[in-house]
Amino acid sequence: MQKRKKKFEFFANGDGFILLPVILITVLVFIPMVMALLNSFKSGIPTNMTFNGLGNYKRMLSDSTFRKAFGNTFLYLIVQVPVMLMLSLFFSNILNDKRLKFKGFFRTALFLPCITSLVSYSLIMKSLFSASGLVNQVLLNMNLVEAPIQWLTDPFWAKVLIILSITWRWTGYNMIFFISGMQNIDPEIYEAADMDGANKWQQFFKITIPNLKPVILFTTITSTIGTLQLFDEVQNITGGGPANATTTLSQYIYNLSFKFTPNFGYAAAVSFVIVFCIVILTIIQKRVAGDE
């Protein structure tokens, strides 16, 4: 009788509502994650995988394609994430100014790229940056280059194109978080700073940045995770070429699983390299930000 009463209390308090999400997360997330970890210690064709210990992880050390994909992914991370976040802060600070007219239009214009269809966006970027595209025409007309830049076929410029594309697409997305954070800062703090004679730059660095610390930490972590999982842009714009010059770890995992002879064990091992990097970088970022 007492047991039945406890059961009803469990559902009456609302705790029972978390039961279904816990079951779904366990079945759809945690169990596949554990199975993927176990697969990372196996090799062979998908229908006959055998345990090979740390063989897949040792293979990465001599895999030139993995090293290239790893280097490309971290290059995008080191260059693109700081640039994108600084641009987002810059635009959000301008678009948060009460005196600015047509703020809604400018905010929408900057946010639109992240909700644009990936296929359309990729076609636009390929068209703009083709050898005879608009970007090359402008550069030639301004005498900034002597010959068209091979954005899609030169290894260096293909990487630059990927960085430009990601920055263009995700700057507006992060800007929304910064604007939300800025609007939650008490205006009286700025009024007091004005009365004390602080200029706009001093207010930005002494008031805005410290108050945005949680938002900056959040956007840095989510941008880091997104860049380490980068796949769509590279696959649609350059296809990982030329000669794997723009391939990322996620694209390499896709190729190992579905493009080359399927090797789920090795693909799972590469996946856990990304997981390990995300965990380490997140811990470092939280330590740097001093956020426990």
Side-chain angles (χ1 to χ4, degrees), residues 137-152:
Q137 292 299 324
V138 171
L139 292 175
L140 286 168
N141 290 336
M142 294 174 72
N143 293 320
L144 293 174
V145 294
E146 293 179 355
I149 296 173
Q150 302 301 318
W151 297 96
L152 295 166

Side-chain angles (χ1 to χ4, degrees), residues 126-141:
K126 286 172 81 169
S127 171
L128 286 174
F129 288 87
S130 67
S132 57
L134 180 65
V135 174
N136 272 333
Q137 292 299 324
V138 171
L139 292 175
L140 286 168
N141 290 336

Side-chain angles (χ1 to χ4, degrees), residues 200-210:
K200 293 296 177 188
W201 282 109
Q202 287 171 326
Q203 291 179 24
F204 180 72
F205 286 108
K206 301 286 184 183
I207 298 172
T208 307
I209 296 291

